[in-house]
Amino acid sequence: MLVPAPRGELTSALLTVLQDGPQATAEQYGKLDGAAGRVLAGSADVLRDDDLQLALFLLYELHYSGLDGVDADMEWQPELIRVRRKLEAAFEAALRQAVPVPAAPSPEAEEVAQTLFKLAADDDGPSVSRFVARHATEDQLREFLVLRSVYQLREADPHSWAIPRLAVGRAKAALVEIQADEYGGGRPERMHSALFARTMEGLGLDTTYGRYLDRIPALVLASSNAMSLFGLNRRLRGCIAGHLAAFEMTSSIPNSFYARGFKRAGYGPDVTFYFDEHVEADAVHEQIAARDLAGGLAEAEPELLEDILFGAATVLTLDALQGAEQLEAWKEGRSALLENSPFRVDAQALDAAAAGAGVMA
């Protein structure tokens, strides 16, 4: 992944260590640890703290495809793991304080599924999808894709951490079934991340992972970080199962609105196929995720039920927080992306690229 610019004392110290790699000194690690302590002590809102969320995102990225120019051995550098755990503890505490969790039903698959379906149905958060369907401008459609690219260009990867963390049984089989579809059923061109990249290309956007990271706000990073937190910590396997269940259960209808918005702007099937595909796929996945994954896990490990519900509720809470900020910016005629970064959207250049990609008139 491309390395972004620092957003404060913490990311500046972290990037210095990462760039020096195995040659990083004890003094540099001391500065990093001190910066982490000061940022944690002084942060007014962990979820919206750009410096903290970017640092956590970069530390997690070491466990995915890595960072350009950063030695692969840094993934398991003990001091980096120690700093990550400090940031994780504060992040998890902030999530547990911010996320309202419904009362737990009995740990039976159908009861758990019905609780999750009710949780999704009762969600009254701001609807970015309806705004996209009815009002989004050309620039806002591009911003929407840029904001989503942090997750969609590696779609399924965070949830796949859960596969080896679940015991053989109903929940694990359900998770593998869902993930197999996400990865295209063995056809690389059908991987959902590849389909999303095709949508971005249709609007003239760069699909290099991390290309737009300098413009991504903290709450979007927090959504990605929550998945990594849940997936990379075995004790939180209930959270990642519940997260995926809610993710699938709240996807089908919004994707139909997203498709409508891009069609309204004149884009054809090459751009809208990603959204159309999810309308059908996620309608099936939501049943498997709610009953077999979340419900099956609750039956097998009842002690995880609270975390299953917390993971599901986290999706809705973070989506609502991020959606509110995004819609507020758009309705006020502002960009929903960060402005104080080296990167700027060149609308004229993007229009030319989109035209060359075959946008329908």
Side-chain angles (χ1 to χ4, degrees):
M1 188 189 79
L2 297 175
V3 177
R7 297 189 187 180
E9 179 188 12
L10 177 56
T11 45
S12 181
L14 174 60
L15 288 170
T16 297
V17 167
L18 292 177
Q19 288 159 3
D20 284 357
Q23 283 71 50
T25 65
E27 181 182 3
Q28 288 174 321
Y29 282 113
K31 288 181 178 179
L32 173 60
D33 188 60
R38 285 187 292 275
V39 168
L40 287 172
S43 181
D45 186 345
V46 167
L47 301 183
R48 291 181 172 86
D49 192 308
D50 278 294
D51 197 20
L52 190 154
Q53 290 298 335
L54 179 59
L56 192 52
F57 182 87
L58 294 175
L59 287 166
Y60 282 140
E61 191 59 35
L62 297 176
H63 300 288
Y64 288 97
S65 58
L67 299 164
D68 289 359
V70 174
D71 193 297
D73 283 343
M74 299 300 281
E75 177 182 7
W76 297 111
Q77 208 290 330
E79 291 301 313
L80 291 181
I81 297 295
R82 190 163 71 88
V83 169
R84 194 194 90 191
R85 286 175 60 82
K86 288 172 66 172
L87 300 180
E88 277 185 331
F91 181 44
E92 183 180 348
L95 286 174
R96 291 193 181 274
Q97 183 175 10
V99 175
V101 180
S106 61
E108 299 171 5
E110 190 58 33
E111 291 295 318
V112 172
Q114 291 307 317
T115 299
L116 292 176
F117 279 119
K118 185 177 188 305
L119 180 66
D122 290 346
D123 177 37
D124 59 356
S127 180
V128 173
S129 63
R130 285 180 169 80
F131 185 92
V132 168
R134 298 168 182 166
H135 308 294
T137 66
E138 198 79 17
D139 283 344
Q140 288 167 347
L141 291 176
R142 293 191 184 98
E143 287 192 5
F144 166 75
L145 295 178
V146 166
L147 290 166
R148 294 286 292 262
S149 68
V150 174
Y151 169 69
Q152 308 298 166
L153 288 178
R154 68 176 183 202
E155 187 170 352
D157 287 355
H159 296 114
S160 291
W161 290 115
I163 294 174
R165 302 180 185 281
L166 300 184
V168 174
R170 181 180 180 185
K172 187 166 191 166
L175 177 57
V176 171
E177 181 178 358
I178 293 169
Q179 296 302 84
D181 284 346
E182 300 289 341
Y183 288 117
R187 297 170 59 188
E189 75 279 3
R190 297 282 303 207
M191 290 176 64
H192 288 182
S193 56
L195 297 180
F196 189 81
R198 191 185 310 165
T199 295
M200 291 183 68
E201 288 168 352
L203 273 77
L205 292 167
D206 190 335
T207 62
T208 304
Y209 191 67
R211 172 67 179 88
Y212 301 113
L213 191 55
D214 283 321
R215 307 246 14 222
I216 302 299
L219 277 175
V220 179
L221 296 179
S223 292
S224 177
N225 287 339
M227 295 182 231
S228 297
L229 169 70
F230 297 159
L232 283 168
N233 288 277
R234 190 175 66 83
R235 68 179 175 84
L236 298 176
R237 61 194 181 279
C239 297
I240 195 65
H243 190 285
L244 179 57
F247 210 89
E248 299 295 334
M249 294 165 65
T250 56
S251 174
S252 183
I253 293 175
N255 274 297
S256 69
F257 285 115
Y258 296 140
R260 188 181 307 174
F262 282 86
K263 291 171 184 175
R264 174 181 56 80
Y267 291 97
D270 57 323
V271 165
T272 64
F273 183 76
Y274 170 85
F275 305 111
D276 293 331
E277 170 74 6
H278 278 70
V279 172
E280 181 177 348
D282 290 347
V284 175
H285 288 173
E286 69 177 17
Q287 300 296 328
I288 300 170
R291 292 184 164 83
D292 298 320
L293 172 57
L297 183 59
E299 286 188 350
E301 300 185 72
E303 68 276 13
L304 299 182
L305 178 55
E306 292 285 348
D307 271 355
I308 291 170
L309 298 176
F310 169 62
T314 296
V315 175
L316 304 179
T317 297
L318 291 180
D319 280 357
L321 293 175
Q322 189 228 318
E325 287 195 355
Q326 187 175 341
L327 289 178
E328 180 182 8
W330 284 355
K331 290 176 181 179
E332 292 177 357
R334 297 183 287 109
S335 171
L337 305 176
L338 293 183
E339 295 294 340
N340 56 339
S341 71
F343 175 73
R344 294 288 184 271
V345 171
D346 185 337
Q348 195 170 33
L350 291 181
D351 285 339
V359 175
M360 294 173 60

